Amino acid sequence: VMALGFFLSLANVVCLTFFQNTPERQDVPVVMGLVNLISVASLPVSMGVVGAFIERVAVREFASICALLVIVIALLIPLIPGIRRVP
């Protein structure tokens, strides 16, 4: 479970650094607003996913899987086409 906290913090730093340093300076507030909106809007979805699996998978294993997914997603963000452009 500690690994999940560590990797969530690490991924948060990597993602926020990317989204603050990649766009043009004047676009950073818009990008960060979208990042925060997506983060908050995804909470109900993530709670539903956790609820669906929590009784079938041990908490330690589930936390490790989530930590691994967070790392993979954080590493793949720069590869998304068009991520460096603000609409």
Side-chain angles (χ1 to χ4, degrees):
V1 176
M2 287 177 42
L4 179 61
F6 174 77
F7 287 117
L8 281 174
S9 299
L10 180 65
N12 188 40
V13 169
V14 170
C15 290
L16 291 181
T17 300
F18 175 79
F19 286 121
Q20 289 175 347
N21 291 331
T22 303
E24 297 293 327
R25 187 170 184 83
Q26 69 273 11
D27 294 331
V28 171
V30 173
V31 170
M32 291 308 299
L34 289 171
V35 167
N36 289 330
L37 175 66
I38 291 167
S39 176
V40 171
S42 67
L43 283 174
V45 174
S46 65
M47 293 295 181
V49 170
V50 168
F53 289 103
I54 200 67
E55 291 186 11
R56 296 184 182 115
V57 181
V59 173
R60 183 177 295 271
E61 292 172 5
F62 193 75
S64 297
I65 292 167
C66 289
L68 183 62
L69 285 172
V70 168
I71 293 168
V72 170
I73 290 169
L75 293 173
L76 293 177
I77 285 176
L79 302 176
I80 298 171
I83 194 77
R84 297 178 187 264
R85 289 184 293 124
V86 176

